[in-house]
Amino acid sequence: MTLHPSLAVVRRGVRGVLDPLDPGATVVVACSGGADSIALLSATVFEARKRSLRVVGVTVDHGLQAGSDLHAQRVVEQMASMGADETLTATVSVSATGVGPEAAARQARYAVLSQIASRLDALVLLGHTLDDQAETVLLGLTRGSGGRSLAGMRRGFDAFARPLLDVRRDDTVTACQVEGLTVWDDPHNSDPAFTRVRVRRTILPLLEDELGPGVARALARTADQLRDDMALLDGLAADALAEVGLDVAGLAALPPSIRRRVLRLAAVEAGAPPGELFHEHVLAVDALLTDWRGQKWIDLPGHLRAVRRDGLLVFESPPS
């Protein structure tokens, strides 16, 4: 029997990530119960068996919705029934202090998944799709966030990998239907109060209607084309930060494209949440170096501020 095209494309994405792993390695699949992560888990279980890999299904309970603990239990039961070798529930506390609720939940989720990856010496698979990538790039464009946002989500970083970045969301939904898998529709994914939901349900479909099909793929392709360039520039910025530090004269002498990356990197290392640190923040900090008029400080996300003091740029928490 011919494999359904949607199943084939999901499995192909997973196969590309699992192929380099040695037999006996552990793979963690982060699973919310939605179509993307259920399709990812199913494909991972299928491909892992052929490679003698151990699959651990993990669901994260953020506690943001009533009955989230019961939902997490249902996901655990489903992951076990789908063939995961082990299942885990991770309960996190989401504190939105200094960041939005989405960013706070994301930070908490990645933190606990990183801990699990370290404890199990595992690769963590995330279910982001091509549509998620297109939404990320489009949101970056609207915020004027520059090349970093246009480069979108990385295919892999630290202990994480995203096997489905070439897979459309329609394919994950169809793959689950073909296999008869039950999926959960997160009510947050249909709440227009969230900007990403409006992009997903209104803006991208409108662009496809008005400009023709292929807009989402074009946005995702743009991310791929820019990512290597961004990695090179970020590497040069890291080297510059190590060499120059936060000396005002040394920073001011750097080319603007490198200097601003250095400032962003320094702010993030000081505690500014990367997802909340926008280009206008970096430009304001840059003005402390290139347009110095005695400014007192620049407020930054994450209860942080940048101050020029005694020839140095200082990132510090404001006094309570």
Side-chain angles (χ1 to χ4, degrees), residues 32 34-37 40 102 106 109-110 126-140 143 149-154 162-170 172-173 189 196-197 199-201 204 215-217 219-221 223 227:
S32 67
D36 298 340
S37 58
L40 174 61
E102 290 178 278
R106 182 168 57 249
R109 182 168 62 253
Y110 277 96
L126 305 172
H128 299 108
T129 65
L130 183 148
D131 297 82
D132 294 311
Q133 184 75 295
E135 293 159 12
T136 298
V137 173
L138 190 55
L139 283 167
R143 291 167 177 162
S149 287
L150 294 184
M153 294 181 287
R154 294 169 287 177
R162 295 184 172 106
L164 305 185
L165 282 186
D166 294 318
V167 179
R168 298 301 304 264
R169 184 174 294 123
D170 285 348
T172 64
V173 172
N189 288 338
R196 184 176 286 270
V197 172
V199 169
R200 177 177 304 164
R201 290 179 168 263
L204 267 175
V215 171
R217 287 196 180 278
L219 289 169
R221 187 166 59 249
R227 199 170 297 114

Side-chain angles (χ1 to χ4, degrees), residues 183-200:
V183 299
W184 173 61
D185 290 322
D186 184 349
H188 283 174
N189 288 338
S190 58
D191 184 350
F194 295 101
T195 304
R196 184 176 286 270
V197 172
R198 298 195 297 275
V199 169
R200 177 177 304 164

